[in-house]
Amino acid sequence: MNLQELTAYNSNTPLFAVIGDPIEHSVSPLLHKTLYETDGINADYTSLHITDDTLREFTDIARKKLCGFNVTIPHKSAIIPYLDEVDETARMMNSVNTVKVINGRLHGYNTDILGVIATLEKNNIEIKGKSVCILGSGGASKSVVYALLNQGAEITVARRKNSTTPCFADNMPAVNVTTLDNLPDADIIINTTPVGMTASCADTPISDLPERCSFVFDVIYTPLETTLLKKASEKSIECENGLYMLLIQGVRADEIWLDRKISENAIKAASDILEAGVVKNRLAHRKKSSILLSGFMGCGKSTVGKALSDKLGFSFVDADAEIVKKAGMSINEIFEKYGEEHFRKLETDVLKELSACTDTVIASGGGAMVKAQNFDAVKDNSLVIYMDADEDFLYKNISKSDERPLMKTPDPKTRIHELLSSRKTNYEAHNHISINASMPVHAVVYEIMKRI
Ligand code: S3P
């Protein structure tokens, strides 16, 4: 929506909004609409691109047309002079992310801090006596610092080495200020810098985690797992991304605006939808329209593919089923009547056809991504995920069915070993992302979502 459209808004449905610059990528409309829909709340939520120059004009219109709004970068402090009242915490922080319109008057609050507190609570993080190091000194850092104050933690804010502006924590006696290259040995690391987000995905704000570290919270949620969080997982350090913080700040804003509780059911629904929304954004960022699962027979391509497509609201296509349709006979029959070579030709044809799919999860046959030609046919359109699984896991799944011609052998374990060994190099060469698939289905689905 733009300011003109907001001025013209005259529906009876209470309207809320998020304002910022930029604003296109905000998932707040998706979040709030899901909460309203699940809890049967008659309200709508939009986003407005508001620059510094249009902030005053916006607040004038908001007084008449909106019931409340969220504020994001870069207006969290700049909005304050236009408000009629500011809650004590928000005033102390000099940061407002939630404004409620009451009889044309604007009341400011900060619910970001509640999102931080909720994230620490969700992970049962005891702050007292801990050394907490916060990476970055921007707006998100401020919310984290205020959430941690007076709880008996030793708080350090680590800034970029070449920061020239004063730090908000310079005059806070309870907070140490240092640089990212001079980190203390902390128990908890909280990243509030944008390093690791979408464009700088492979980067981390720090090259290694401190020895003592037992929890890492990254306020970034796109991708769902940043390189920093991956490092933490690899070291078996507990960690959490920023999606729950985003969710709870939004929920608390709605509770202030609507004077009612948002149900746990709605929070769960919004959490699922947001994760899917983030993955779809990531896929678009990678300029891919679909996801293709590759891997040896029995690694779970079809089961995981169906579950993943459900999560994302995508269609699901099984490449082997398409071959069966095309040939008018089962895979076993194709192999028996015409031989493997003919099957491979049909497989290449089907993959070429599927390379135009949008919003689809494709389960390919176990031999499909062995050939470079097949990978080349799909790789521009689809994000190819190699599901690497161990031989015992594959054997367990394969022995459930007798529909695989290549497994018609008295010694399937040896056949799996030989065939997998001969294909492994090609599977590994022909993918965009490789994951460990020897896990329960839901864990594999989430692993894929995190890595996209
Ligand atoms: C094959 C795997 C099968 C099927 C055909 C050949 C292979 O698919 O395409 O039997 O060469 O590995 P699944 O991986 O779905 O079993």
Side-chain angles (χ1 to χ4, degrees):
M1 201 178 251
N2 58 34
L3 280 178
Q4 264 174 331
E5 287 163 335
L6 181 62
T7 311
Y9 185 80
N10 71 351
S11 154
N12 286 334
T13 305
L15 182 64
F16 299 92
V18 57
I19 61 160
D21 177 19
I23 201 62
E24 301 71 40
H25 307 296
S26 171
V27 287
S28 286
L30 181 64
L31 161 58
H32 291 274
K33 284 177 184 201
T34 307
L35 295 174
Y36 301 157
E37 202 176 301
T38 316
D39 272 353
I41 294 165
N42 174 37
D44 202 358
Y45 193 101
T46 186
S47 63
L48 286 127
H49 179 214
I50 301 296
T51 57
D52 291 341
D53 307 347
T54 52
L55 195 54
R56 171 184 286 278
E57 190 189 349
F58 163 75
T59 53
D60 289 343
I61 304 168
R63 287 173 194 280
K64 298 178 205 113
K65 298 293 178 176
L66 293 177
C67 295
F69 57 93
N70 286 125
V71 185
T72 186
I73 287 173
H75 305 312
K76 288 188 186 189
S77 300
I79 192 78
I80 293 178
Y82 302 109
L83 305 180
D84 301 298
E85 268 172 62
V86 179
D87 151 86
E88 198 187 317
T89 311
R91 183 166 297 286
M92 183 174 71
M93 293 172 68
N94 191 34
S95 173
V96 164
N97 80 312
T98 298
V99 176
K100 180 171 182 171
V101 184
I102 308 172
N103 299 326
R105 288 171 61 81
L106 305 179
H107 297 240
Y109 304 85
N110 189 300
T111 65
D112 286 333
I113 183 173
L114 303 176
V116 176
I117 295 170
T119 303
L120 296 171
E121 275 175 10
K122 174 176 176 249
N123 287 279
N124 293 319
I125 302 300
E126 170 73 55
I127 296 298
K128 198 167 177 208
K130 297 279 169 58
S131 157
V132 185
C133 185
I134 300 148
L135 315 180
S137 55
S141 171
K142 211 191 257 182
S143 301
V144 173
V145 167
Y146 278 93
L148 295 174
L149 277 182
N150 307 320
Q151 291 193 56
E154 167 151 8
I155 307 172
T156 304
V157 169
R159 321 184 71 197
R160 264 182 317 210
K161 203 172 157 190
N162 45 9
S163 296
T164 47
T165 51
C167 175
F168 73 91
D170 281 341
N171 299 319
M172 296 174 81
V175 181
N176 310 310
V177 178
T178 183
T179 50
L180 285 171
D181 60 343
N182 198 17
L183 286 197
D185 192 6
D187 302 294
I188 298 171
I189 291 285
I190 304 183
N191 176 45
T192 67
T193 76
V195 180
M197 213 157 91
T198 308
S200 65
C201 215
D203 298 343
T204 50
I206 46 175
S207 54
D208 212 353
L209 289 160
E211 274 297 300
R212 238 169 61 198
C213 184
S214 58
F215 181 65
V216 179
F217 170 26
D218 196 331
V219 302
I220 295 173
Y221 55 84
T222 163
L224 293 173
E225 183 179 67
T226 57
T227 307
L228 182 69
L229 292 185
K230 188 159 189 283
K231 266 185 196 234
S233 290
E234 281 164 5
K235 290 188 162 183
S236 302
I237 298 173
E238 279 190 46
C239 50
E240 175 85 27
N241 67 20
L243 209 54
Y244 192 69
M245 175 182 166
L246 175 87
L247 181 62
I248 297 304
Q249 65 74 35
V251 167
R252 300 293 170 246
D254 277 321
E255 290 178 340
I256 290 172
W257 293 330
L258 301 162
D259 272 323
R260 58 167 282 175
K261 282 292 274 176
I262 297 292
S263 72
E264 285 306 315
N265 207 9
I267 297 177
K268 170 83 179 71
S271 163
D272 286 351
I273 286 217
L274 280 182
E275 278 186 346
V278 169
V279 172
K280 288 190 236 179
N281 281 353
R282 292 286 308 150
L283 206 58
H285 178 77
R286 286 172 174 270
K287 300 195 166 48
K288 305 290 181 214
S289 310
S290 289
I291 297 168
L292 183 137
L293 303 181
S294 148
F296 200 78
M297 291 172 258
C299 71
K301 300 179 294 287
S302 302
T303 326
V304 167
K306 276 183 211 140
L308 180 63
S309 65
D310 276 353
K311 270 248 170 206
L312 300 181
F314 277 18
S315 313
F316 172 74
V317 175
D318 191 316
D320 277 349
E322 296 302 303
I323 297 172
V324 169
K325 254 196 247 164
K326 212 178 172 70
M329 63 182 87
S330 73
I331 306 247
N332 269 330
E333 283 166 345
I334 303 173
F335 269 71
E336 274 161 24
K337 270 198 163 162
Y338 301 106
E340 181 170 351
E341 211 173 303
H342 181 69
F343 170 80
R344 296 296 169 203
K345 203 185 145 308
L346 292 176
E347 182 171 57
T348 299
D349 291 347
V350 161
L351 288 169
K352 277 187 190 149
E353 284 162 25
L354 293 178
S355 73
C357 280
T358 54
D359 296 348
T360 304
V361 177
I362 303 162
S364 65
M369 288 301 111
V370 176
K371 271 204 226 162
Q373 181 199 3
N374 289 347
F375 176 62
D376 287 343
V378 299
K379 71 176 184 203
D380 290 338
N381 183 68
S382 294
L383 190 73
V384 178
I385 314 242
Y386 170 43
M387 294 171 54
D388 190 7
D390 62 55
E391 291 178 22
D392 287 342
F393 183 91
L394 297 170
Y395 175 70
K396 258 193 227 143
N397 284 337
I398 287 173
S399 43
K400 289 180 196 155
S401 141
D402 61 358
E403 280 166 18
R404 295 181 170 102
L406 294 176
M407 282 297 136
K408 290 197 183 308
T409 157
D411 184 3
K413 280 196 173 177
T414 305
R415 171 61 64 84
I416 291 172
H417 179 72
E418 287 169 359
L419 203 52
L420 183 59
S421 310
S422 72
R423 289 176 169 183
K424 194 124 186 152
T425 323
N426 285 9
Y427 283 143
E428 282 168 356
H430 302 150
N431 71 73
H432 298 112
I433 294 176
S434 166
I435 60 137
N436 168 20
S438 314
M439 297 188 285
V441 175
H442 73 275
V444 180
V445 169
Y446 197 57
E447 181 66 19
I448 294 174
M449 292 176 65
K450 283 194 304 191
R451 296 286 305 284
I452 291 177

